[in-house]
């Protein structure tokens, strides 16, 4: 029996290692779970998943980061000081 549980544990471990958890993968899983909850009519679960999705999304502050990025970005073709 010990050998079977060891093989099962190794199979689970290798399956997890093959599946790289990236932000995109986590969001995809959450979106699929939310869609399944909606289809099943589980409003409370869907609401919880929506909150998790909001939390997992990359959020950029409105104008502050964009202004800072624009100030440090190199000029685009045709913009900037002309010689």
């Amino acid at each position: 029996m010990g050998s079977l549980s060891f093989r099962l544990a190794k199979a689970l471990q290798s399956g997890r290692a093959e599946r790289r958890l990236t932000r995109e993968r986590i969001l995809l899983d959450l979106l699929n779970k939310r869609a399944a909850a909606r289809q099943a009519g589980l409003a409370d679960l869907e609401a919880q998943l929506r909150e998790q999705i909001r939390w997992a999304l990359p959020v950029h502050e409105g104008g502050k980061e964009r202004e800072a990025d624009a100030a440090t970005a190199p000029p685009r073709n045709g913009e900037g000081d002309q010689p």
Side-chain angles (χ1 to χ4, degrees):
M1 189 68 154
S3 176
L4 179 62
S5 62
F6 177 76
R7 286 189 294 181
L8 179 59
K10 289 299 264 182
L12 286 172
Q13 183 180 8
S14 67
R16 289 183 185 135
E18 289 176 9
R19 187 172 178 216
R20 297 183 336 197
L21 288 181
T22 62
R23 176 174 287 197
E24 292 83 10
R25 184 68 208 181
I26 292 169
L27 283 170
L28 178 63
D29 288 346
L30 287 171
L31 288 167
N32 285 331
K33 288 178 184 181
R34 189 205 57 80
R38 180 180 176 102
Q39 205 169 34
L42 304 172
D44 291 340
L45 179 59
E46 183 185 1
Q48 290 175 355
L49 289 164
R50 283 180 186 269
E51 287 301 314
Q52 290 179 9
I53 291 166
R54 275 191 208 101
W55 181 83
L57 286 171
V59 177
H60 300 283
E61 294 293 325
K64 291 182 181 179
E65 286 184 21
R66 291 184 186 144
E67 289 173 11
D69 289 343
T72 59
R76 287 187 251 162
N77 195 15
E79 292 182 356
D81 295 332
Q82 296 291 327

